[in-house]
Amino acid sequence: KNRRKTRADIRANVFMPEDVETLKQAISDSTDPLDVGIRLCFMTGLRVCELSALKPEDVDGDILTVQRMERRHKENGSYVYTVEECTKANAGARDVVLIQEAKDLIESLHGGEYLFERSGKRLRGCYFSRKLRDLCRKVGVSTKSCHAIRKTYCSQLLNAGMPLAEVQHMMGHTSPRTTLSAYYYNNSSILSMQETLEAAVGQFVK
């Protein structure tokens, strides 16, 4: 059954604006590719399995094309990580528009075959997830997964007024229902919502 999302639900599933600012300040000057990757996720909404599979040719000016992903599977009792030329969702490859700061971050990377490498080896998605958990603990932000970044990105786009169809495409969803029901959380600050309410209904109490 559908249930209204309470403030507690929002805080559990997305990063609040103050959390985003705290995390940004903690890694804004870092050149570590893991920190760069986390910042890029906040600006693109990528899954970590997509982030770790990015190649330089996926970036063309203002557009980042998501067309491959990392996949984990077991072979002989051990996990094996491979990169496959497919996307996680049935929506297929998608284009993500890059802001200038995201383009600058990508240009700062010194990878090889893949954008995110260290000592010539591709950084797996789990490395970014672990880094985010450690970072949250370090700065005192409620620990969340990289998937929460993706939900935060979606919520911010919709809160900013971007058309649902565009957000759906940027997220790589096949249905707008998925975008709204599973990924949208109104993470606006209470002060921001109060200002909006004041503008909308304040005339009735003056």
Side-chain angles (χ1 to χ4, degrees):
K1 293 182 180 179
N2 290 330
R3 183 173 67 86
R4 295 182 186 275
K5 295 170 182 175
T6 66
R7 205 67 184 164
D9 294 327
I10 296 170
R11 288 190 174 277
N13 283 278
V14 296
F15 289 97
M16 303 302 290
E18 59 270 23
D19 297 333
V20 176
E21 185 60 29
T22 298
L23 292 170
K24 179 181 178 180
Q25 289 181 1
I27 59 177
S28 60
D29 296 326
S30 175
T31 58
D32 185 303
L34 292 177
D35 291 331
V36 173
I38 289 172
R39 290 179 64 190
L40 191 61
C41 279
F42 273 107
M43 299 176 197
T44 60
L46 294 182
R47 302 176 177 92
V48 288
C49 64
E50 298 167 339
L51 182 75
S52 64
L54 287 176
K55 294 185 177 183
E57 58 262 34
D58 296 331
V59 183
D60 184 11
D62 298 327
I63 300 297
L64 170 66
T65 300
V66 181
Q67 54 192 336
R68 72 182 67 81
M69 61 173 282
E70 174 190 84
R71 189 181 297 278
R72 186 184 76 166
H73 58 279
K74 270 193 173 183
E75 287 185 8
N76 301 320
S78 300
Y79 283 115
V80 176
Y81 297 83
T82 59
V83 173
E84 301 183 6
E85 297 294 327
C86 64
T87 56
K88 185 172 182 179
N90 293 330
R94 70 184 189 278
D95 290 336
V96 176
V97 177
L98 299 172
I99 62 174
Q100 185 60 49
E101 188 174 354
K103 291 191 291 183
D104 291 342
L105 283 177
I106 292 172
E107 289 179 4
S108 73
L109 295 168
H110 302 286
E113 179 184 4
Y114 296 94
L115 279 178
F116 292 94
E117 293 185 358
R118 178 174 285 156
S119 301
K121 294 185 178 180
R122 183 180 64 84
L123 291 172
R124 299 201 300 257
C126 59
Y127 296 163
F128 294 97
S129 298
R130 188 182 307 130
K131 177 69 176 187
L132 178 63
R133 289 195 298 270
D134 292 343
L135 180 62
C136 287
R137 296 188 187 102
K138 180 180 178 180
V139 300
V141 169
S142 178
T143 304
K144 296 181 179 67
S145 69
C146 286
H147 200 60
I149 298 180
R150 189 165 156 76
K151 292 180 179 180
T152 302
Y153 173 79
C154 178
S155 300
Q156 289 174 323
L157 294 187
L158 290 171
N159 283 343
M162 181 175 284
L164 175 57
E166 291 295 332
V167 178
Q168 178 190 339
H169 174 76
M170 298 267 276
M171 294 295 292
H173 293 155
T174 57
S175 167
R177 177 169 183 148
T178 301
T179 306
L180 286 175
S181 64
Y183 284 80
Y184 176 65
Y185 292 80
N186 186 359
N187 64 336
S188 300
S189 67
I190 294 296
L191 176 60
S192 175
M193 288 192 286
Q194 286 175 328
E195 291 174 347
T196 302
L197 285 168
E198 178 69 25
V201 303
Q203 58 182 316
F204 296 106
V205 295
K206 291 181 180 179

